[in-house]
Amino acid sequence: MIETNRPAAAPAEDEPDLLRDQFRQLLRYRRLIGAGVGIGLLGGVYLGVSTADTYVATADIVLRAPTDDPFNPSLAPDKAINIGSERQVALSSSIANEAAKKLGVSASGFAALRSGLQVTNPPQSMVLRFTYTSSSPKEAARRANAMTEAYLLKRQEALDLTRDKMVKGYKDQRDPVSKQLDELVKEIARMPAGAPRDAATSTKTDLQSEVGRYNGNITKLEALDMTPGRVTSAATPPSHPDGPGLPMSLALGAAVGLALGLLGAWVRLVFDPAPRSEGDVARALRAPVLGSLPRDKTGGGPLLAAGEEDPRLAEEFRSVAFRLAYDSRFADRRRLLVVAPRGSSETAAAVAVNLAASFAETGKDVLLIEADLRTPVLASQLPTDAGGRPRWSQMPGGPAGGRPGQHGESDWPDGRQLVVDAGESGAFDLIPGERVRNVARALTSPRATRLISEADSPNSTVVVLAPPVLSYADALALVDRVDGVLVVCDPRAVHRTDLSRIRELISGAGGTVLGAVLHTPLPGEKRGTGLLRKGGTPSAPAPAPAAQTPERSAPQPIPYEVADTEQHIPGDGTDTVALRTVRTGRR
């Protein structure tokens, strides 16, 4: 046998789905991305305009080390020349001074002359590339060539100076030895033959050898090729500006701006506490998103969507009801609690009413209970007719067990039941809410429990509307008897932490979050906040003007008496419901 009632669990998402979801979330920050693109375009315009009259001339020099045999490969040039040091020398002020003399540049233009020069070294080469940037192509080429000539001249002078110092040093060492050799030769000529003459002759031979060594070193130095290098590519006036041009600058600026905008949107998304997608809501509640109401159809109109010109809203409610009907957690007990996180309950009321109409359309006996006893409005906004009393109210002693019309702390539910005409969907019963002095006692009363147990009857469904769960604890008092909870929220007006807290509170009270219904902000409602009245309590939706008929009139709030100093004042913040201990088997 195939089981038809299966839990509507949140579908598992693979990595491509998550990436697509994150990309769609980034596109929500269109203003931030647009600002990044705008900044990039402005930068592209500045780059295109600033480089429109910029010309670059380039000259290349191959460096050579001094050698007596240029065809001897035993000495590698990169071992004899430190290319990094040579690059620094090319950028030094001494080279710029020499070039300024040739160019006739004054002292005031010396800093500008140096700032336009760049010297680079291509990898794995002994080449120095002189690049000069100027506003004139001819001037750029002229200054680049002047810089190369000044560098080669200075390098030639440095090499010649080094050779001359070494030659002078060898001569200074040779001259005393040569003088000593001359004196020894004269002395040997006067000496008779014998042992002293032979010793002097041996000394003369040593001195001659030393003088010859000095002369050989001097000759070798004087024979060195001291060419510092050669120009392989002289600078010529460039024919085009060096800048990328205005079209390319705009394209580059737009690309960089788009990257910056996406980066800013990603950072904003990471630190955004609000869920920006259905996946975020499902992960925070650990329950699926059962539906998303169409835009601009969540407020400002009648509560019942059936019969409207745009059928999308009614079909969305039917889809949510269908998914709930095939969820075994709801189908077993057929009790549904509809709540909003905080702020206004206007959309939650519309969802509760339309789900009741959708269940009634499937042939269910639906009972809608307005458990919002702080701002009850359903009776004044729905087309209702007086119906019969529920079974639990037909007891001896009257609806409240006392005198009719006497208002006590347990006046609700008082047995009043209305029939709501949902048009083609059929009809369902409504237990309207009513202002009471003690909300906690009314919601936890035995009569409220018996009223919710109407769902135990065959083919019956009970839908309960409660105030926002994070504003009051009223919904938590009903969770252990209703079990299934439907959260109605605007994902841009609630935080992920709020949704996680709602799930924890409902689970701790013994209930289960069946899913969520998403909607857009209500007309006139600020994003991120609910409609609040003075004092911090949620504002009630404005009741739709309806003509009073003799058969039905809008319920009036209970006229409160003047309270003593020790008497409880409704709405002062103390009328919240304490969490009760959930006993096993009471789900």
Side-chain angles (χ1 to χ4, degrees), residues 291-321:
S292 181
L293 303 185
R295 184 179 298 274
D296 297 332
K297 291 294 183 180
T298 59
L303 289 179
L304 277 172
E308 292 296 306
E309 295 181 359
D310 189 356
R312 293 182 301 166
L313 185 58
E315 291 301 325
E316 187 68 25
F317 284 122
R318 291 189 182 98
S319 175
V320 174

Side-chain angles (χ1 to χ4, degrees), residues 155-173:
R155 178 172 169 76
Q156 181 72 56
E157 292 178 355
L159 293 177
D160 291 341
L161 180 62
T162 302
R163 184 184 60 179
D164 294 344
K165 285 184 177 181
M166 294 185 67
V167 169
K168 182 177 182 302
Y170 281 130
K171 288 182 178 181
D172 291 342
Q173 297 178 30

Side-chain angles (χ1 to χ4, degrees), residues 317-333:
F317 284 122
R318 291 189 182 98
S319 175
V320 174
F322 180 80
R323 295 191 66 180
L324 286 172
Y326 276 81
D327 189 342
S328 61
R329 297 171 295 178
F330 172 75
D332 291 343
R333 296 183 55 118

Side-chain angles (χ1 to χ4, degrees), residues 9-30:
E13 294 180 304
D14 55 6
E15 186 173 354
D17 290 337
L18 291 176
L19 291 177
R20 283 191 293 268
D21 183 54
Q22 291 180 359
F23 185 74
R24 284 193 296 267
Q25 294 180 46
L26 288 178
L27 294 182
R28 293 179 181 271
Y29 302 101
R30 296 182 181 89

Side-chain angles (χ1 to χ4, degrees), residues 21 190 248 474 498:
D21 183 54
R190 294 191 300 268
M248 182 62 69
D474 299 356
D498 293 339

Side-chain angles (χ1 to χ4, degrees), residues 209-481:
S209 176
E210 186 173 358
V211 170
R213 181 170 59 84
Y214 285 131
N215 290 331
N217 290 336
I218 293 173
T219 303
K220 186 177 180 180
L221 287 175
E222 290 178 346
L224 286 177
D225 182 5
M226 305 300 292
T227 303
R230 59 188 178 88
V231 178
T232 59
S233 176
T236 58
S239 58
H240 301 286
D242 182 64
L246 187 58
M248 182 62 69
S249 299
L250 289 176
L252 292 176
V256 174
L258 179 61
L260 291 177
L262 290 176
L263 177 61
W266 180 80
V267 173
R268 179 70 175 86
L269 178 64
V270 169
F271 292 98
D272 188 1
R276 289 295 180 174
S277 67
E278 295 183 0
D280 286 349
V281 176
R283 284 187 288 271
L285 288 176
R286 296 183 185 176
V289 175
L290 301 180
S292 181
L293 303 185
R295 184 179 298 274
D296 297 332
K297 291 294 183 180
T298 59
L303 289 179
L304 277 172
E308 292 296 306
E309 295 181 359
D310 189 356
R312 293 182 301 166
L313 185 58
E315 291 301 325
E316 187 68 25
F317 284 122
R318 291 189 182 98
S319 175
V320 174
F322 180 80
R323 295 191 66 180
L324 286 172
Y326 276 81
D327 189 342
S328 61
R329 297 171 295 178
F330 172 75
D332 291 343
R333 296 183 55 118
R334 302 181 305 281
R335 294 180 174 90
L336 181 65
L337 180 64
V338 181
V339 294
R342 63 171 78 249
S344 174
S345 294
E346 182 176 349
T347 307
V351 171
V353 170
N354 286 277
L355 286 181
S358 299
F359 288 132
E361 190 175 6
T362 62
K364 299 288 186 181
D365 295 332
V366 183
L367 177 63
L368 174 60
I369 303 174
E370 185 180 14
D372 189 352
L373 306 183
R374 303 177 188 275
T375 56
V377 294
L378 291 186
S380 62
Q381 294 189 355
L382 293 175
T384 58
D385 291 324
R389 291 169 176 261
R391 291 188 299 272
W392 58 264
S393 66
Q394 308 197 4
M395 302 172 57
R403 296 185 303 273
Q406 179 181 1
H407 296 286
E409 294 185 352
S410 299
D411 285 343
W412 186 91
D414 58 359
R416 187 162 62 103
Q417 179 174 333
L418 303 177
V419 178
V420 179
D421 182 10
E424 296 180 357
S425 299
F428 59 89
D429 295 334
L430 169 66
I431 302 297
E434 186 175 354
R435 294 181 183 271
V436 296
R437 297 185 185 280
N438 194 318
V439 177
R441 181 172 300 178
L443 293 177
T444 57
S445 65
R447 291 184 298 169
T449 302
R450 289 197 300 272
L451 183 61
I452 296 174
S453 65
E454 289 286 326
D456 293 337
S457 302
N459 202 39
S460 297
T461 301
V462 173
V463 180
V464 183
L465 173 64
V469 66
L470 294 181
S471 299
Y472 303 100
D474 299 356
L476 301 180
L478 303 168
V479 165
D480 60 340
R481 286 169 290 173

